[in-house]
Amino acid sequence: MSKRLDINNSGGTYPVLIEHGLRFRIEEEIRRVCPDATTIFLLADEKAAAHHLDDVMSSFSAAPHVILIPQGESSKSFDELERVLTELLEHGADRKSVVAALGGGVTGDLAGFAAAVLLRGVSFVQIPTTLLAHDSSVGGKTGINHQAGKNLIGSFYAPNAVLYDPAMLATLPEREWRSGFAEVIKHSLISRAGLLEWLYAHVQDPSDLQEDALEELLYRSIQVKADIVQEDEFEAGVRAYLNFGHTLGHAVEAEAGYGGWTHGEAVALGMLAAMHLSRMKLEADVPLEKVEQLLKSHGFQTSLPRSFNHEKLLKRMMHDKKTEGGNLRFVLLKELGEPELVPVDPEMVERAMKEVTADD
Amino acid sequence: MSKRLDINNSGGTYPVLIEHGLRFRIEEEIRRVCPDATTIFLLADEKAAAHHLDDVMSSFSAAPHVILIPQGESSKSFDELERVLTELLEHGADRKSVVAALGGGVTGDLAGFAAAVLLRGVSFVQIPTTLLAHDSSVGGKTGINHQAGKNLIGSFYAPNAVLYDPAMLATLPEREWRSGFAEVIKHSLISRAGLLEWLYAHVQDPSDLQEDALEELLYRSIQVKADIVQEDEFEAGVRAYLNFGHTLGHAVEAEAGYGGWTHGEAVALGMLAAMHLSRMKLEADVPLEKVEQLLKSHGFQTSLPRSFNHEKLLKRMMHDKKTEGGNLRFVLLKELGEPELVPVDPEMVERAMKEVTADD
Ligand SMILES: NC(=O)c1ccc[n+]([C@@H]2O[C@H](COP(=O)([O-])OP(=O)(O)OC[C@H]3O[C@@H](n4cnc5c(N)ncnc54)[C@H](O)[C@@H]3O)[C@@H](O)[C@H]2O)c1
Ligand SMILES: NC(=O)c1ccc[n+]([C@@H]2O[C@H](COP(=O)([O-])OP(=O)(O)OC[C@H]3O[C@@H](n4cnc5c(N)ncnc54)[C@H](O)[C@@H]3O)[C@@H](O)[C@H]2O)c1
């Protein structure tokens, strides 16, 4: 099977192709969307490259220039951006060059930003190699980090195409798999498209995700994100719903420190807390237990260790950029698929944290 | 008197206000176009600031945070961009902040790019203080230089407003005045709007440019640029006409080396050569002698010193980014106001260089 979505944005439409074996057709697909391409540059995450670069390179009649991106969040930096731009320019980049990103969200965010600012914008193609990148490769957010915070410098810059070969996910470490799966769950909760039911029926266990089911999962989860970013390209409204689970998630991630909790693990816990809050605050009927079970069967921790200090977590949430004017604002669910931005008083947030804290 | 233009682009419309004394109303005008502005940041060219910052600051009820930009082209650098972004973030920039640029093209290009990438784009206001900035502040090109060449990194990012107080031009050194006047002449040659005739009738001499005449000149010259960028926002077509005079101009500027010829002086000579070429190649009827006289009366050098090596200039032109596929392409005039992109063989370019070379 293979799947295709077309995503509209202010600059036009771009396709998302999802297909096992697509990595052997990369050049052809790039030239289809960029027919007057001169040089193609491949910015490749070093780990993704170790597993898959040979396959991708074999799709090219003439080898593209490859720039390896060191793995890890620290590559989303000013220094790395400058290094990449210099290498692009020194190897003859012109206005019809194409920058393609082979990797996860880190490589995609960095390469997309480089493409956005090189000669005021060159063509850009995403070749995602992580599950999380089903989220990050769609919607046109690109950028780097700053010492003052994550993703503070960047552009809205849509790709010309997203070329997703799910076969490359086979080499992903389990933790990175979970990181992406948390966003799938998130998409299943904030939309009415039936993704949660589908997950229940087909993906009780990671091993259920073989060829067709994996393509279907990516397609359905990307569809949720696509619907939202098409409605709100520049994050003036409903795009905020994509932060479901992220308010407490960010706090846990930061409080745990580097290497402690991954983003996805922390967001999973954040989503559980947000569902508790939805019940408390909105008396909402939300499938909390179902989600908890789904998370467990995919290897997530579903309770917060007692070692976390709730007061410190609260303080971090208060400083979160989603807290405008001193109010704590959460994305909650009125019901499954019905997110809403709701001011919540800190005392209630503490109660929700208690709900998700381990008993012993 | 005062003048206003409204410029359309893909993101909306922005006003260009031209008015003596406008510097005393900056905050009011910024808040008019950015009604929900939180903090306003003023990025100010150090020399422009020395003369005019106090006046501009007096327009604010609460003083905006000021970041001084060292004068000169070297401020359009990666390092300076990073410094500016860090200072903006450390002083509490958020998505509703406004970055205002007080200065010439250097400050405008740098500040505009910083605004474009800060939090994926914040509001941006141009407060031009040079004559050249009537050109650079309109059209949405922003960016910095790279060791590989000028303006190679940047964004198309339109301002929310251009607030032009011509009174601030009074302190501009003569050379900088000429630099901007060359672009006025260029605009007068590539459009049918009657600007050349108007200059002839009203501006035989720089001293003719008192209040109303200066506002009128800025208005008319910006109108030419506005018409072109509105037709071709992302430089896919007619925007190339703005390079009239720039092919030889860039070569002369580069060949003369730092501090030799200013951009405007070199472009003026390039325009004369391009008019010679228009006669040779297109048998065009162009007002070469009139332009030469106008340039002279404004203090321009109208012939190339014999010390310039024509072969070296030709080589530089061949490497110019406007030379696609090895062909030398010039913007020529079919007649006054009728530019066209024309491939020209190198031998004819040499003849044109001879035409503009000094006799003794
Ligand atoms: N732009 C957006 O809209 C958006 C949305 C969500 C997240 N993000 C960003 O995405 C980033 C996280 O993305 P990510 O989780 O993909 O991280 P990542 O890019 O760091 O990849 C995770 C790890 O997996 C490795 N890897 C990648 N592909 C592999 C493969 N096929 N086999 C084995 N190892 C592989 C990488 O080397 C890395 O160590 C963050 O920086 C986040 O800010 C962006
Ligand atoms: N973005 C565009 O579309 C565009 C178009 C043309 C040129 N440019 C860029 O513009 C730059 C040139 O602009 P510029 O000529 O304004 O240069 P500039 O900004 O360097 O200003 C010229 C000099 O005048 C000084 N100055 C500025 N205002 C003054 C004032 N009121 N009184 C006294 N001194 C003052 C500055 O300190 C500087 O020394 C170049 O970097 C060029 O690439 C951009």
Side-chain angles (χ1 to χ4, degrees), chain B residues 247-248 251-252 255 309-320 323 328 330 344-351 353:
Chain B
T247 308
L248 178 59
V252 167
E255 201 50 33
N309 179 322
H310 290 191
E311 220 169 301
K312 282 188 182 166
L313 290 172
L314 202 59
K315 227 180 222 159
R316 286 196 185 264
M317 287 186 261
M318 302 291 275
H319 282 100
D320 194 295
T323 2
L328 259 175
F330 275 79
V344 181
D345 89 53
E347 182 273 330
M348 195 175 268
V349 178
E350 287 195 60
R351 269 165 58 205
M353 285 193 283

mmCIF file of all heavy atoms in Angstrom, chain B residues 247-248 251-252 255 309-320 323 328 330 344-351 353:
data_model
loop_
_atom_site.group_PDB
_atom_site.id
_atom_site.type_symbol
_atom_site.label_atom_id
_atom_site.label_comp_id
_atom_site.label_asym_id
_atom_site.label_seq_id
_atom_site.Cartn_x
_atom_site.Cartn_y
_atom_site.Cartn_z
ATOM 1 N N THR B 247 25.220 45.522 -12.674
ATOM 2 C CA THR B 247 26.145 44.476 -13.115
ATOM 3 C C THR B 247 27.568 45.033 -13.156
ATOM 4 O O THR B 247 28.467 44.528 -12.468
ATOM 5 C CB THR B 247 25.708 43.922 -14.487
ATOM 6 O OG1 THR B 247 24.335 43.545 -14.385
ATOM 7 C CG2 THR B 247 26.532 42.711 -14.884
ATOM 8 N N LEU B 248 27.758 46.108 -13.934
ATOM 9 C CA LEU B 248 29.080 46.740 -13.899
ATOM 10 C C LEU B 248 29.301 47.419 -12.541
ATOM 11 O O LEU B 248 30.414 47.415 -12.015
ATOM 12 C CB LEU B 248 29.213 47.777 -15.040
ATOM 13 C CG LEU B 248 30.545 48.534 -15.061
ATOM 14 C CD1 LEU B 248 31.745 47.594 -15.207
ATOM 15 C CD2 LEU B 248 30.572 49.578 -16.188
ATOM 16 N N ALA B 251 30.867 45.159 -10.046
ATOM 17 C CA ALA B 251 32.240 44.831 -10.427
ATOM 18 C C ALA B 251 33.179 45.984 -10.060
ATOM 19 O O ALA B 251 34.258 45.775 -9.507
ATOM 20 C CB ALA B 251 32.305 44.504 -11.920
ATOM 21 N N VAL B 252 32.755 47.209 -10.353
ATOM 22 C CA VAL B 252 33.583 48.381 -10.031
ATOM 23 C C VAL B 252 33.762 48.510 -8.524
ATOM 24 O O VAL B 252 34.867 48.722 -8.015
ATOM 25 C CB VAL B 252 32.947 49.667 -10.609
ATOM 26 C CG1 VAL B 252 33.602 50.920 -10.028
ATOM 27 C CG2 VAL B 252 33.039 49.660 -12.137
ATOM 28 N N GLU B 255 36.105 45.730 -7.385
ATOM 29 C CA GLU B 255 37.450 45.912 -7.915
ATOM 30 C C GLU B 255 38.150 47.083 -7.224
ATOM 31 O O GLU B 255 39.364 47.053 -6.985
ATOM 32 C CB GLU B 255 37.333 46.152 -9.422
ATOM 33 C CG GLU B 255 38.544 45.885 -10.283
ATOM 34 C CD GLU B 255 39.235 44.548 -10.088
ATOM 35 O OE1 GLU B 255 38.557 43.548 -9.793
ATOM 36 O OE2 GLU B 255 40.470 44.520 -10.204
ATOM 37 N N ASN B 309 41.141 47.838 -14.632
ATOM 38 C CA ASN B 309 41.466 46.844 -15.651
ATOM 39 C C ASN B 309 40.170 46.224 -16.184
ATOM 40 O O ASN B 309 39.436 45.546 -15.459
ATOM 41 C CB ASN B 309 42.370 45.783 -14.994
ATOM 42 C CG ASN B 309 42.745 44.686 -15.950
ATOM 43 O OD1 ASN B 309 41.949 44.244 -16.776
ATOM 44 N ND2 ASN B 309 44.003 44.244 -15.838
ATOM 45 N N HIS B 310 39.888 46.456 -17.443
ATOM 46 C CA HIS B 310 38.605 46.012 -18.013
ATOM 47 C C HIS B 310 38.445 44.492 -18.000
ATOM 48 O O HIS B 310 37.342 43.978 -17.827
ATOM 49 C CB HIS B 310 38.442 46.555 -19.439
ATOM 50 C CG HIS B 310 38.235 48.038 -19.479
ATOM 51 N ND1 HIS B 310 37.848 48.714 -20.599
ATOM 52 C CD2 HIS B 310 38.356 48.986 -18.504
ATOM 53 C CE1 HIS B 310 37.753 50.020 -20.337
ATOM 54 N NE2 HIS B 310 38.069 50.198 -19.059
ATOM 55 N N GLU B 311 39.565 43.801 -18.186
ATOM 56 C CA GLU B 311 39.480 42.338 -18.193
ATOM 57 C C GLU B 311 39.045 41.810 -16.820
ATOM 58 O O GLU B 311 38.214 40.908 -16.723
ATOM 59 C CB GLU B 311 40.851 41.768 -18.545
ATOM 60 C CG GLU B 311 40.789 40.570 -19.479
ATOM 61 C CD GLU B 311 42.184 40.251 -19.994
ATOM 62 O OE1 GLU B 311 42.803 41.135 -20.627
ATOM 63 O OE2 GLU B 311 42.666 39.146 -19.705
ATOM 64 N N LYS B 312 39.614 42.417 -15.791
ATOM 65 C CA LYS B 312 39.246 41.986 -14.432
ATOM 66 C C LYS B 312 37.775 42.300 -14.133
ATOM 67 O O LYS B 312 37.072 41.523 -13.495
ATOM 68 C CB LYS B 312 40.130 42.686 -13.392
ATOM 69 C CG LYS B 312 41.517 42.078 -13.269
ATOM 70 C CD LYS B 312 42.256 42.706 -12.081
ATOM 71 C CE LYS B 312 43.666 42.160 -11.957
ATOM 72 N NZ LYS B 312 44.482 42.999 -11.041
ATOM 73 N N LEU B 313 37.333 43.474 -14.602
ATOM 74 C CA LEU B 313 35.925 43.827 -14.387
ATOM 75 C C LEU B 313 35.019 42.807 -15.087
ATOM 76 O O LEU B 313 34.018 42.346 -14.523
ATOM 77 C CB LEU B 313 35.639 45.238 -14.919
ATOM 78 C CG LEU B 313 36.266 46.401 -14.135
ATOM 79 C CD1 LEU B 313 36.062 47.722 -14.883
ATOM 80 C CD2 LEU B 313 35.660 46.497 -12.725
ATOM 81 N N LEU B 314 35.398 42.441 -16.289
ATOM 82 C CA LEU B 314 34.612 41.481 -17.064
ATOM 83 C C LEU B 314 34.538 40.144 -16.336
ATOM 84 O O LEU B 314 33.468 39.519 -16.242
ATOM 85 C CB LEU B 314 35.260 41.296 -18.436
ATOM 86 C CG LEU B 314 34.351 40.756 -19.548
ATOM 87 C CD1 LEU B 314 33.161 41.676 -19.770
ATOM 88 C CD2 LEU B 314 35.156 40.620 -20.848
ATOM 89 N N LYS B 315 35.672 39.716 -15.807
ATOM 90 C CA LYS B 315 35.703 38.447 -15.071
ATOM 91 C C LYS B 315 34.746 38.489 -13.879
ATOM 92 O O LYS B 315 34.006 37.547 -13.629
ATOM 93 C CB LYS B 315 37.144 38.190 -14.578
ATOM 94 C CG LYS B 315 37.602 36.776 -14.877
ATOM 95 C CD LYS B 315 39.003 36.537 -14.386
ATOM 96 C CE LYS B 315 39.811 35.742 -15.397
ATOM 97 N NZ LYS B 315 41.264 35.909 -15.191
ATOM 98 N N ARG B 316 34.786 39.616 -13.189
ATOM 99 C CA ARG B 316 33.870 39.734 -12.041
ATOM 100 C C ARG B 316 32.413 39.666 -12.489
ATOM 101 O O ARG B 316 31.581 39.056 -11.835
ATOM 102 C CB ARG B 316 34.113 41.047 -11.294
ATOM 103 C CG ARG B 316 35.390 41.023 -10.465
ATOM 104 C CD ARG B 316 35.398 42.159 -9.462
ATOM 105 N NE ARG B 316 36.661 42.212 -8.766
ATOM 106 C CZ ARG B 316 36.892 41.650 -7.574
ATOM 107 N NH1 ARG B 316 35.923 40.994 -6.958
ATOM 108 N NH2 ARG B 316 38.078 41.737 -7.004
ATOM 109 N N MET B 317 32.119 40.323 -13.586
ATOM 110 C CA MET B 317 30.728 40.291 -14.072
ATOM 111 C C MET B 317 30.312 38.882 -14.457
ATOM 112 O O MET B 317 29.179 38.472 -14.227
ATOM 113 C CB MET B 317 30.562 41.234 -15.262
ATOM 114 C CG MET B 317 30.573 42.698 -14.856
ATOM 115 S SD MET B 317 30.217 43.798 -16.247
ATOM 116 C CE MET B 317 31.889 44.293 -16.690
ATOM 117 N N MET B 318 31.255 38.119 -15.010
ATOM 118 C CA MET B 318 30.948 36.743 -15.391
ATOM 119 C C MET B 318 30.610 35.895 -14.154
ATOM 120 O O MET B 318 29.838 34.944 -14.232
ATOM 121 C CB MET B 318 32.128 36.088 -16.122
ATOM 122 C CG MET B 318 32.586 36.803 -17.381
ATOM 123 S SD MET B 318 31.405 36.713 -18.747
ATOM 124 C CE MET B 318 31.855 35.133 -19.461
ATOM 125 N N HIS B 319 31.194 36.247 -13.011
ATOM 126 C CA HIS B 319 30.931 35.492 -11.787
ATOM 127 C C HIS B 319 29.718 36.005 -11.016
ATOM 128 O O HIS B 319 29.285 35.402 -10.052
ATOM 129 C CB HIS B 319 32.160 35.505 -10.874
ATOM 130 C CG HIS B 319 33.201 34.538 -11.322
ATOM 131 N ND1 HIS B 319 34.307 34.927 -12.030
ATOM 132 C CD2 HIS B 319 33.283 33.191 -11.200
ATOM 133 C CE1 HIS B 319 35.042 33.869 -12.318
ATOM 134 N NE2 HIS B 319 34.442 32.800 -11.832
ATOM 135 N N ASP B 320 29.187 37.117 -11.454
ATOM 136 C CA ASP B 320 28.023 37.705 -10.808
ATOM 137 C C ASP B 320 26.871 36.701 -10.792
ATOM 138 O O ASP B 320 26.674 35.943 -11.727
ATOM 139 C CB ASP B 320 27.610 38.949 -11.622
ATOM 140 C CG ASP B 320 26.630 39.817 -10.854
ATOM 141 O OD1 ASP B 320 25.520 39.351 -10.596
ATOM 142 O OD2 ASP B 320 26.987 40.964 -10.527
ATOM 143 N N THR B 323 24.494 36.206 -13.722
ATOM 144 C CA THR B 323 24.941 35.530 -14.941
ATOM 145 C C THR B 323 24.617 34.056 -14.854
ATOM 146 O O THR B 323 25.413 33.257 -14.365
ATOM 147 C CB THR B 323 26.482 35.638 -15.085
ATOM 148 O OG1 THR B 323 27.008 36.329 -13.960
ATOM 149 C CG2 THR B 323 26.879 36.281 -16.363
ATOM 150 N N LEU B 328 26.318 36.566 -20.030
ATOM 151 C CA LEU B 328 26.263 37.869 -19.372
ATOM 152 C C LEU B 328 24.894 38.486 -19.639
ATOM 153 O O LEU B 328 24.547 38.755 -20.790
ATOM 154 C CB LEU B 328 27.346 38.768 -19.947
ATOM 155 C CG LEU B 328 28.612 38.919 -19.119
ATOM 156 C CD1 LEU B 328 29.640 39.740 -19.870
ATOM 157 C CD2 LEU B 328 28.296 39.591 -17.791
ATOM 158 N N PHE B 330 22.297 41.599 -18.955
ATOM 159 C CA PHE B 330 22.180 42.972 -18.471
ATOM 160 C C PHE B 330 20.726 43.425 -18.495
ATOM 161 O O PHE B 330 19.963 43.030 -19.367
ATOM 162 C CB PHE B 330 22.956 43.922 -19.399
ATOM 163 C CG PHE B 330 24.419 44.026 -19.068
ATOM 164 C CD1 PHE B 330 25.298 43.030 -19.464
ATOM 165 C CD2 PHE B 330 24.905 45.115 -18.367
ATOM 166 C CE1 PHE B 330 26.651 43.128 -19.165
ATOM 167 C CE2 PHE B 330 26.254 45.226 -18.061
ATOM 168 C CZ PHE B 330 27.136 44.225 -18.462
ATOM 169 N N VAL B 344 24.159 39.760 -23.418
ATOM 170 C CA VAL B 344 25.070 40.638 -24.166
ATOM 171 C C VAL B 344 26.407 39.928 -24.297
ATOM 172 O O VAL B 344 26.901 39.358 -23.323
ATOM 173 C CB VAL B 344 25.276 41.976 -23.415
ATOM 174 C CG1 VAL B 344 26.194 42.895 -24.207
ATOM 175 C CG2 VAL B 344 23.940 42.660 -23.165
ATOM 176 N N ASP B 345 26.999 39.985 -25.485
ATOM 177 C CA ASP B 345 28.278 39.270 -25.568
ATOM 178 C C ASP B 345 29.399 40.131 -25.005
ATOM 179 O O ASP B 345 29.368 41.364 -25.054
ATOM 180 C CB ASP B 345 28.503 38.672 -26.969
ATOM 181 C CG ASP B 345 29.183 39.591 -27.938
ATOM 182 O OD1 ASP B 345 30.262 40.115 -27.618
ATOM 183 O OD2 ASP B 345 28.611 39.767 -29.036
ATOM 184 N N PRO B 346 30.399 39.477 -24.412
ATOM 185 C CA PRO B 346 31.447 40.170 -23.657
ATOM 186 C C PRO B 346 32.159 41.258 -24.463
ATOM 187 O O PRO B 346 32.529 42.297 -23.908
ATOM 188 C CB PRO B 346 32.425 39.047 -23.292
ATOM 189 C CG PRO B 346 31.598 37.801 -23.295
ATOM 190 C CD PRO B 346 30.569 37.997 -24.350
ATOM 191 N N GLU B 347 32.294 41.039 -25.750
ATOM 192 C CA GLU B 347 33.006 42.029 -26.573
ATOM 193 C C GLU B 347 32.262 43.370 -26.548
ATOM 194 O O GLU B 347 32.866 44.433 -26.430
ATOM 195 C CB GLU B 347 33.142 41.448 -27.989
ATOM 196 C CG GLU B 347 33.911 42.319 -28.973
ATOM 197 C CD GLU B 347 33.006 43.349 -29.674
ATOM 198 O OE1 GLU B 347 31.797 43.064 -29.870
ATOM 199 O OE2 GLU B 347 33.506 44.442 -29.987
ATOM 200 N N MET B 348 30.956 43.317 -26.599
ATOM 201 C CA MET B 348 30.162 44.552 -26.558
ATOM 202 C C MET B 348 30.256 45.225 -25.183
ATOM 203 O O MET B 348 30.263 46.463 -25.078
ATOM 204 C CB MET B 348 28.705 44.251 -26.908
ATOM 205 C CG MET B 348 27.898 45.491 -27.232
ATOM 206 S SD MET B 348 26.217 45.085 -27.793
ATOM 207 C CE MET B 348 26.440 45.001 -29.565
ATOM 208 N N VAL B 349 30.339 44.400 -24.138
ATOM 209 C CA VAL B 349 30.502 44.957 -22.795
ATOM 210 C C VAL B 349 31.824 45.721 -22.717
ATOM 211 O O VAL B 349 31.897 46.814 -22.142
ATOM 212 C CB VAL B 349 30.447 43.840 -21.723
ATOM 213 C CG1 VAL B 349 30.669 44.422 -20.340
ATOM 214 C CG2 VAL B 349 29.119 43.097 -21.789
ATOM 215 N N GLU B 350 32.853 45.179 -23.342
ATOM 216 C CA GLU B 350 34.149 45.882 -23.338
ATOM 217 C C GLU B 350 34.042 47.231 -24.049
ATOM 218 O O GLU B 350 34.603 48.235 -23.588
ATOM 219 C CB GLU B 350 35.228 45.015 -24.000
ATOM 220 C CG GLU B 350 35.621 43.852 -23.093
ATOM 221 C CD GLU B 350 36.934 43.198 -23.535
ATOM 222 O OE1 GLU B 350 37.966 43.895 -23.563
ATOM 223 O OE2 GLU B 350 36.901 41.989 -23.850
ATOM 224 N N ARG B 351 33.304 47.242 -25.152
ATOM 225 C CA ARG B 351 33.121 48.525 -25.857
ATOM 226 C C ARG B 351 32.396 49.542 -24.973
ATOM 227 O O ARG B 351 32.775 50.724 -24.924
ATOM 228 C CB ARG B 351 32.329 48.313 -27.139
ATOM 229 C CG ARG B 351 33.244 48.040 -28.337
ATOM 230 C CD ARG B 351 32.480 47.483 -29.524
ATOM 231 N NE ARG B 351 31.401 48.357 -29.986
ATOM 232 C CZ ARG B 351 30.311 47.920 -30.649
ATOM 233 N NH1 ARG B 351 30.160 46.625 -30.909
ATOM 234 N NH2 ARG B 351 29.390 48.777 -31.040
ATOM 235 N N MET B 353 32.449 49.623 -21.731
ATOM 236 C CA MET B 353 33.376 50.086 -20.683
ATOM 237 C C MET B 353 34.300 51.164 -21.239
ATOM 238 O O MET B 353 34.619 52.136 -20.561
ATOM 239 C CB MET B 353 34.173 48.903 -20.120
ATOM 240 C CG MET B 353 33.332 48.011 -19.185
ATOM 241 S SD MET B 353 34.321 46.842 -18.227
ATOM 242 C CE MET B 353 34.669 45.601 -19.460
#
